[in-house]
Amino acid sequence: MNVERLNVIREVLSSSPVASQDELRRKLRRRGIQVTQATLSRDIHQLRVSKGPGGYSLPNGHAAPAEEDDQAPSVVEMMNSFGLRVVQAMNQVVLSTVMGGAQPVAAALDRAEWPQIVGTIAGDDTVLVICGDARQAAEVGTRLRSMLEP
Amino acid sequence: MNVERLNVIREVLSSSPVASQDELRRKLRRRGIQVTQATLSRDIHQLRVSKGPGGYSLPNGHAAPAEEDDQAPSVVEMMNSFGLRVVQAMNQVVLSTVMGGAQPVAAALDRAEWPQIVGTIAGDDTVLVICGDARQAAEVGTRLRSMLEP
DNA sequence: GACAAAAGTGCATAAGTATGCAAGAGGATT
DNA sequence: AATCCTCTTGCATACTTATGCACTTTTGTC
């Protein structure tokens, strides 16, 4: 299973700076894991790792390995239809929609009952999503953003 | 000077997801700034922007060079006409207005595009203004308060 | 066990990003 | 003015990352 490898990757990334996927590949090889850069690219995407100055870094709140989770079909639909922009601020996520789209999106979010979401407030074209803390808001923001039109 | 461009880049990145430097280049061109991908690569490094799933994102703690504060005459008008009270809480500002005044005030704020403001939500007599953080909310609160009738 | 569907991987290569080099702009010094 | 710096940028290209395709392994079903 590749879960083992993902765990090692997390460990490597958190213990020393890694500048490229090829460097990561060499470090993994030293630990007995031998894969190609292509696979690491996929792993990194799956782990939702981000790259900035100073190399790769794990997501702020380390979420579990790969939780490609449950279908929130309704939310996806609403986001696709109305969603424009997602911005996180502290423990909140501000979700901009086309005019009149906020209410249905908020309703869909309420129905979905994501565990991170404490509640939502909808205006005409903006939904304020209140989460338990900043980490949870980041998760929600990422997830919502991934539902926007590419 | 390139400081102007850096500010616009920050604004673009915070307002909509950007997946690549070339996409950023096109968005900047629409705003009248025309540079090559190479320059953007350097700018992004300078801004310490990081790239993750969901595109580029500004550094968590933003050390921002101050930007100009344009006058937003329209906001002043609206505040004079409808504004009653301004209260800051965390990264938010709650703005009370006369009944029916919230929507126009919020619309004016949206139009003004203050950099500190992430988004606004208007009810009937209350506007919730969401800012990037508490400091920015304080700035916005002070500025709005100064627009109230003495 | 046999088959079908899904997941994981490498290869080759497309897509995206960083950088050495040189050119031009503006400033300071002589 | 001439010269020398420094800063900024574009160009070309090296470097890095993502992905379509084919193949193999795993998982689920009968």
Side-chain angles (χ1 to χ4, degrees), chain A residues 1 19 26 47 49 59 64-65 78 82 97-98 105 109 124 127 135 141 145:
Chain A
M1 192 65 116
R26 289 191 294 274
L47 286 170
V49 166
M78 292 300 106
F82 302 124
T97 71
V98 298
V105 173
L109 280 170
D124 286 326
V127 181
R135 186 182 58 75
R145 208 173 284 115

Side-chain angles (χ1 to χ4, degrees), chain B residues 40-60:
Chain B
L40 293 182
S41 172
R42 296 178 181 115
D43 287 350
I44 279 176
H45 189 264
Q46 191 173 348
L47 286 171
R48 309 190 71 74
V49 167
S50 65
K51 183 183 187 180
Y56 286 95
S57 61
L58 296 166
N60 275 337

Side-chain angles (χ1 to χ4, degrees), chain A residues 125-137:
Chain A
D125 59 1
T126 305
V127 181
L128 176 60
V129 182
I130 300 169
C131 304
D133 57 39
R135 186 182 58 75
Q136 294 176 329

Side-chain angles (χ1 to χ4, degrees), chain A residues 90, chain B residues 62 88-93 131-141:
Chain A
M90 296 230 178
Chain B
H62 20 41
Q88 182 210 343
M90 293 235 194
N91 66 317
Q92 295 127 37
V93 176
C131 303
D133 58 38
R135 185 181 58 73
Q136 294 177 332
E139 292 175 13
V140 170

